Amino acid sequence: MSPASSPSAACSWFGFPLRVRYQETDGMKVVFHGNYITWFEVGRTEWIRALGLSYRELEARGLLLPVVDLQVTFKRPALYDDMIMVYTRLEQRSALRMTFASVVCRVGEAEADMALEQGWHAAPIGERLVEGATTLAWLNSNWRPVRIEREAKDIWTLLESVTHD
């Protein structure tokens, strides 16, 4: 991972571009509300990947991260063929849980290209469409809670360095 792609206190939002596909919309070409939750998942997956980890790695280590709480506020609809950015930031972490903030914004092509190159941002750019938060719990492969600072100290240390306080 290059220094330009590393998060900092000043740039704690990770942006990932997507184009709204036809199958994600209804008959009015408006994005079906459940797709935003999928996009939050995409944002978290890419956020973790940008840190140098992957969900596949976590699962191989016997760690699971199911969503235990979800908050969504809809402001404006995304439409078919819109270019959007899914911004993700780790808001809170404890030994047992993590809470991520997510923002979906409509952007232009140039903004999406720039955001993809930069990766980490000080704040979401574009027209805010949806905001939300997801809380995930650390579990082992037997679906029992684990304390991540004991189970995987390296991951705990990495999360400490990127938590937005």
Side-chain angles (χ1 to χ4, degrees):
M1 188 166 50
S2 68
S5 66
S6 299
S8 68
C11 293
S12 60
W13 289 94
F14 184 76
F16 190 77
L18 295 170
R19 183 175 301 281
V20 176
R21 298 171 298 181
Y22 190 78
Q23 70 267 24
E24 294 169 321
T25 65
D26 60 19
M28 299 174 289
K29 297 184 178 70
V30 170
V31 170
F32 172 71
H33 67 277
N35 287 307
Y36 294 99
I37 297 165
T38 299
W39 294 344
F40 286 7
E41 178 79 23
V42 169
R44 289 191 310 274
T45 299
E46 296 304 327
W47 181 90
I48 288 173
R49 188 182 320 280
L51 291 180
L53 293 171
S54 71
Y55 267 102
R56 181 178 291 180
E57 257 183 85
L58 294 176
E59 290 174 353
R61 291 174 71 172
L63 297 169
L64 304 174
L65 278 171
V67 172
V68 296
D69 188 57
L70 169 69
Q71 305 291 317
V72 183
T73 301
F74 299 95
K75 297 179 173 289
R76 290 182 167 73
L79 306 172
Y80 170 65
D81 209 34
D82 278 351
M83 181 57 73
I84 61 165
M85 290 293 297
V86 180
Y87 291 97
T88 307
R89 173 170 74 179
L90 181 61
E91 285 287 309
Q92 298 176 338
R93 59 144 179 80
S94 72
L96 298 170
R97 294 176 182 232
M98 295 191 298
T99 299
F100 288 90
S102 298
V103 177
V104 176
C105 296
R106 184 178 0 258
V107 296
E109 298 284 338
E111 292 168 311
D113 290 344
M114 178 192 69
L116 187 57
E117 286 177 24
Q118 290 178 341
W120 297 96
H121 305 271
I125 58 171
E127 179 186 11
R128 285 188 182 226
L129 305 177
V130 174
E131 297 175 350
T134 48
T135 300
L136 297 87
W138 288 105
L139 303 180
N140 64 21
S141 57
N142 295 319
W143 287 81
R144 300 278 186 232
V146 296
R147 297 185 63 87
I148 195 64
E149 88 285 9
R150 293 182 193 156
E151 192 75 20
K153 180 71 173 163
D154 59 321
I155 295 172
W156 176 253
T157 301
L158 181 61
L159 294 174
E160 280 184 312
S161 72
V162 298
T163 303
H164 175 74
D165 292 320

